[in-house]
Amino acid sequence: MVSRDLPYRYNPSLFKLGLGIVVGHPEGNVRGKPINPVNSLLGGGYHISGVCFQAAFSPKLKITEHWFIRPEAKLTAAWAQFSLLGGGSAQVPNIAFHTLVGLGYQGEL
């Protein structure tokens, strides 16, 4: 996934957007039959199989003059489609909400 910070007034990394690809490796059974992946360009059963997107909000909150925390709320969405060994395909959507927090130090510039 490639992300881009969107400038907003004095906080250049408050909002982020990202776009990328899904690399999948299907495993399991459907109706009791293995779905082992078909041959793939990437080898080892790995396939470029879909697209993904993210949107995030990440304010930089000052603790002291040099230390800060950066909480982040992120929404990700992905969609993939896999060809199956016995014919047919499987479509796999995924939407998720993530929360993260980071601690940082910024010295004199």
Side-chain angles (χ1 to χ4, degrees):
M1 186 173 296
V2 176
S3 295
R4 169 106 169 117
D5 290 350
L6 301 175
Y8 178 75
R9 294 187 187 172
Y10 302 107
N11 191 342
S13 59
L14 185 63
F15 299 104
K16 302 174 185 183
L17 292 177
L19 185 66
I21 60 171
V22 175
V23 176
H25 187 276
E27 298 178 15
N29 296 300
V30 173
R31 296 187 186 111
K33 295 181 181 179
I35 61 166
N36 298 330
V38 297
N39 292 333
S40 64
L41 178 66
L42 300 177
Y46 291 92
H47 300 266
I48 296 174
S49 51
V51 295
C52 55
F53 169 80
Q54 77 171 354
F57 172 74
S58 180
K60 184 176 179 180
L61 306 175
K62 194 172 189 176
I63 299 173
T64 67
E65 184 178 344
H66 297 289
W67 290 93
F68 62 92
I69 62 170
R70 189 177 285 274
E72 182 172 284
K74 180 188 303 188
L75 178 70
T76 59
W79 179 86
Q81 181 169 334
F82 301 98
S83 297
L84 305 177
L85 185 62
S89 63
Q91 294 182 7
V92 185
N94 179 276
I95 297 176
F97 180 74
H98 312 264
T99 57
L100 310 129
V101 66
L103 177 65
Y105 178 84
Q106 183 172 359
E108 300 294 325
L109 296 177

